[in-house]
Each structure stands twice: as structure tokens, then as C-alpha cells.
Amino acid sequence: MKVNEIFYSLQGEGYHSGTPAVFVRLSGCNLRCPFCDTQHDSGSVMSEEDIVETVKQYPARHLVITGGEPSLQLTESLVGALHADGRYVAVETNGTRMLPPNVDWITLSPKSAYVEGAEVVLTRADEIKVVYDGIHDPYSQLSTFNPQPSTHLFLQPCDTGDAAKNRQITAAAVEYVKRHPEWRLSLQIHKLLNIQ
């Protein structure tokens, strides 16, 4: 597998926000989102055994496989090896490709509002995290997801790189959540704390 990086930090977004976690960032993505804030194309080729051995250096049970888009490379055997090491395996995905069935937690971040052809094919998600730009209706990105998504719905203000625009989007996200209380606000706390 081509691995961009493996590091130890706190989960900065969504349901498990603040939880110590080992992150395995796989290289590559099948989408090109205009707001992507992750440099994920580079990396080193690692075997599944090498990945597990590197993960063993860190004490947290919670492990997040992210990208890019992890479904391009993630295998059932790697998830099984991580389970054998006592890890709880969460995956962050755009949902356009199927995942191994033995993943413990799926964070679905649909991108259909921003990228043509990014329809969700997953039939399971434990949480939905919609990147909100203040324009697109969050529900429009869930229309292709069947069965209906998890009860954990998160609205995450889009980070545009422009502080003034980010404040406007965050204020709009707060107002949206207040009007639609089935949603919860997700802030990228790792950016607020200036950690990886």
C-alpha cells in the first residue's frame, strides 16, 4: 500500500472529536475537491505488516484510516490485522466506493455538491460529516444515500483559507444547525489547537 503518513494525535472532527487516535493516511484520491486541505498524493510503499508494526508504537486503541480516499487501497486483511493488535478501526471516506465489511466505524463525508459524479454507493455509515460552504443544502448530499444515514449528522464549516470568509461560513453553519437541530456543528479542533 502507498502510505502518505502514520501519526499520533487527537481526532479533530465529528463524533470522536478529542479522542486520542493513531492516523494512517493512505495516498491518493478518486476526487478533486476544490477545498481539499490535505496533501495526500506522496507516500511510501508499505506492507500490511509494516503498517501494523508502525501502529504498535502508539498507545491509543482508536485508529483512523484516512486519505485521500482510503477505499482505493484498504483491505479486509489489514483491518483484520489491526483488530488482532487490539485496534478499533475507523475510516473516513467520501463514500463513492465500498469498504471492507469488518471496519468498526465509518465517517461518510459526501462530496456530490462539489464534484460531479461523486455519488455515494455505501449502504452504511456511523456518522455523516458534510462540509458546509454556506451555499449548498446539506440534505442534498444525502439524497443518494440509501438506507437513510446515521443519526449522527455533523455540519463542518468549509476551510477556504480566507479567515474572513471562514467566519462567514461558520456563522452560517451555526445558524443552520440552530434551525435544523438534528445536525451538530463539527469544528476542526486540530486546526484550532495547531496540532496535526
Side-chain angles (χ1 to χ4, degrees), residues 44-96:
S44 302
V45 175
M46 297 178 73
S47 69
E48 293 182 359
E49 293 78 15
D50 290 339
I51 293 170
V52 173
E53 285 304 310
T54 302
V55 165
K56 285 182 177 181
Q57 298 174 28
Y58 306 106
R61 181 173 176 264
H62 195 86
L63 181 136
V64 179
I65 300 177
T66 188
E69 175 49 47
S71 65
L72 296 172
Q73 299 188 71
L74 185 60
T75 63
E76 189 172 348
S77 58
L78 176 58
V79 176
L82 292 165
H83 283 158
D85 188 49
R87 307 298 167 150
Y88 179 86
V89 180
V91 176
E92 297 178 347
T93 179
N94 61 36
T96 60

Side-chain angles (χ1 to χ4, degrees), residues 2-189:
K2 189 174 179 184
V3 178
N4 178 267
E5 60 181 337
I6 298 175
F7 62 97
Y8 184 44
S9 189
L10 301 180
Q11 173 57 277
E13 306 168 355
Y15 185 84
H16 295 288
S17 186
T19 302
V22 182
F23 289 83
V24 177
R25 185 181 307 284
L26 299 179
S27 299
C29 190
N30 60 329
L31 303 181
R32 292 292 175 258
C33 299
F35 50 77
C36 185
D37 60 359
T38 306
Q39 299 298 321
H40 55 73
D41 288 330
S42 64
S44 302
V45 175
M46 297 178 73
S47 69
E48 293 182 359
E49 293 78 15
D50 290 339
I51 293 170
V52 173
E53 285 304 310
T54 302
V55 165
K56 285 182 177 181
Q57 298 174 28
Y58 306 106
R61 181 173 176 264
H62 195 86
L63 181 136
V64 179
I65 300 177
T66 188
E69 175 49 47
S71 65
L72 296 172
Q73 299 188 71
L74 185 60
T75 63
E76 189 172 348
S77 58
L78 176 58
V79 176
L82 292 165
H83 283 158
D85 188 49
R87 307 298 167 150
Y88 179 86
V89 180
V91 176
E92 297 178 347
T93 179
N94 61 36
T96 60
R97 298 170 47 91
M98 297 305 291
L99 290 168
N102 55 342
V103 168
D104 297 304
W105 182 272
I106 297 173
T107 300
L108 170 61
S109 184
K111 302 297 191 303
S112 59
Y114 306 105
V115 180
E116 189 173 330
E119 284 74 26
V120 172
V121 299
L122 286 181
T123 57
R124 169 191 158 217
D126 297 289
E127 70 177 316
I128 309 294
K129 182 186 69 182
V130 172
V131 176
Y132 186 61
D133 62 359
I135 300 167
H136 294 91
D137 178 18
Y139 278 110
S140 69
Q141 296 188 64
L142 306 183
S143 61
T144 62
F145 187 61
N146 190 16
Q148 281 305 300
S150 152
T151 55
H152 303 298
L153 300 175
F154 290 92
L155 200 63
Q156 184 166 292
C158 183
D159 183 354
T160 65
D162 178 313
K165 182 68 175 167
N166 287 355
R167 284 191 296 275
Q168 292 174 350
I169 291 171
T170 300
V174 167
E175 289 307 311
Y176 187 93
V177 169
K178 286 166 63 179
R179 288 191 313 273
H180 302 90
E182 64 275 19
W183 291 84
R184 292 166 56 189
L185 185 68
S186 174
L187 299 177
Q188 294 179 296
I189 65 166

